[in-house]
Amino acid sequence: MQHLVDTNNFSDKQIAQLLDDAKNFKNNRPIQLLRDRLLITLFFEPSTRTRSSFEVAAKKLGAAVIHLDPSRSSTKKGESLEDTFTNLCAMEPDAVIIRHSENEAPGMLADMEMTPVINAGAGNYAHPTQALLDLFTMVEHFGDVKGKTIAIVGDIVSSRVASSGIRLFTRMGLNVVLVAPKPFMPKSDLPQYEHLEDVIDKVDVIMSLRAQLERHSSPIFDNYNEYARHYCIDHDRLRDKEILLLHPGPVMRNIDISDKMLEDQRCKVLEQVKNGVYMRMAILKLLLLDS
Ligand code: CP
């Protein structure tokens, strides 16, 4: 039984297969490879993109999807996560897709070996399907990403997107540099910069992250506008540089990325969302059919 807790669950060969399958799904009308399969989604935190993207991906492949809303489940009566999961598994789903605030939750359920578990975002530790769709978006643009440099900009220490991305991108041969004010910078051996201006001429990709000022106990910025003055990706910062601009969403407009830059051809935010469907189709195929 194979799980996706983080991208290290996949071999290099499997990642290459995922990229090929995602491309094929994007270019060809999908066939109902997962007809008669059942997925359960279990999101303990809000989601727009990941949850709906998994549902679209599953339905494009012919699978049925049931969503359990924890805020209306017996979680509210004190049922533990393990018991909720065990009861769902008694209904014999083909996989459970979980988002949780605890870093360890998907791994703990995967270790129970009851059904394939897919991590749809856990704590600040891992968001593997986002990392894979971001890799797909870069591969689609550059072909070979080896040797390209990506700057991850913003609240990196709070970000599961950054955590999974750093592990996958470095493994795939990208150079990763981190750009953030000191309180947003994680402990890391990667090159670190406080200002984007210090590194912008050396990067091929910028991944902007949502400013999560609310997560920090001692705020370093009085408000979001002050943060934006230093880190918002806008035309003054990018000018005419050839750069790919990514953001996992939700984008805080004019704080993470300016309105005008969101319309710029270099900005691939909605392409990432589109690619998320195809990458998640490839992930479902791998876990449910090929493993
Ligand atoms: N990128 C991402 O995880 O978005 P959602 O929180 O809307 O799923």
Side-chain angles (χ1 to χ4, degrees):
M1 184 181 297
Q2 185 159 17
H3 308 279
L4 176 54
V5 176
D6 199 12
T7 54
N8 61 1
N9 292 130
F10 292 150
S11 64
D12 288 353
K13 194 173 159 200
Q14 285 177 315
I15 289 174
Q17 184 66 52
L18 288 173
L19 293 168
D20 272 358
D21 283 344
K23 185 176 169 188
N24 286 335
F25 284 134
K26 191 170 182 177
N27 293 333
N28 300 296
R29 195 178 164 79
I31 44 173
Q32 307 264 293
L33 291 172
L34 299 182
R35 205 174 19 235
D36 303 328
R37 303 299 181 111
L38 172 68
L39 303 171
I40 297 181
T41 58
L42 184 55
F43 277 58
F44 287 85
E45 287 188 337
S47 168
T48 297
R49 281 146 289 271
T50 312
R51 182 183 151 193
S52 45
S53 172
F54 262 118
E55 290 192 15
V56 172
K59 286 178 182 176
K60 276 180 183 272
L61 291 173
V65 184
I66 298 294
H67 178 66
L68 179 72
D69 176 359
S71 70
R72 293 173 167 274
S73 78
S74 291
T75 299
K76 288 283 165 200
K77 302 174 201 163
E79 188 170 61
S80 69
L81 174 61
E82 293 95 320
D83 282 343
T84 300
F85 178 71
T86 304
N87 278 269
L88 293 177
C89 288
M91 300 173 204
E92 302 186 324
D94 292 287
V96 169
I97 299 164
I98 179 168
R99 170 169 288 190
H100 204 279
S101 58
E102 296 294 327
N103 290 359
E104 297 78 17
M108 189 251 302
L109 300 185
D111 287 345
M112 292 165 75
E113 294 293 346
M114 299 182 80
T115 195
V117 171
I118 302 175
N119 179 359
N124 68 355
Y125 168 66
H127 195 345
T129 64
Q130 181 72 43
L132 287 161
L133 76 88
D134 291 338
L135 177 66
F136 177 41
T137 305
M138 290 189 279
V139 167
E140 203 175 38
H141 185 82
F142 294 113
D144 189 3
V145 294
K146 213 168 179 180
K148 299 291 180 194
T149 299
I150 179 169
I152 301 182
V153 180
D155 190 0
I156 304 167
V157 75
S158 307
S159 173
R160 55 193 172 214
V161 173
S163 305
S164 272
I166 288 168
R167 291 189 285 273
L168 181 64
F169 305 156
T170 49
R171 176 178 165 194
M172 294 293 120
L174 281 131
N175 306 308
V176 180
V177 303
L178 308 180
V179 181
K182 284 192 180 70
F184 288 6
M185 190 69 83
K187 284 199 176 68
S188 171
D189 295 334
L190 295 170
Q192 303 185 359
Y193 299 85
E194 202 162 340
H195 304 290
L196 189 56
E197 288 71 14
D198 295 339
V199 76
I200 190 134
D201 289 330
K202 300 178 196 150
V203 306
D204 305 289
V205 185
I206 291 174
M207 176 186 282
S208 167
L209 299 173
R210 183 167 72 87
Q212 302 182 58
L213 303 191
E214 76 283 0
R215 284 187 186 254
H216 296 270
S217 50
S218 47
I220 46 154
F221 297 103
D222 287 337
N223 57 50
Y224 280 107
N225 290 335
E226 199 195 332
Y227 171 86
R229 205 158 56 78
H230 298 277
Y231 294 98
C232 182
I233 311 297
D234 59 15
H235 279 84
D236 287 345
R237 289 212 156 84
L238 290 202
R239 298 188 295 279
D240 59 355
K241 289 181 197 308
E242 252 187 62
I243 263 177
L244 201 63
L245 175 58
L246 306 179
H247 191 298
V251 177
M252 292 176 76
R253 285 177 172 268
N254 301 311
I255 294 168
D256 305 334
I257 302 177
S258 69
D259 279 342
K260 195 168 162 215
M261 188 51 73
L262 282 166
E263 305 296 326
D264 191 287
Q265 281 189 358
R266 293 170 287 180
C267 179
K268 300 296 176 191
V269 171
L270 292 180
E271 197 63 26
Q272 288 171 271
V273 175
K274 183 184 287 189
N275 285 343
V277 171
Y278 299 112
M279 177 48 76
R280 290 183 175 108
M281 289 168 75
I283 290 166
L284 293 174
K285 172 178 173 281
L286 192 158
L287 292 178
L288 273 59
L289 285 186
D290 300 342
S291 296

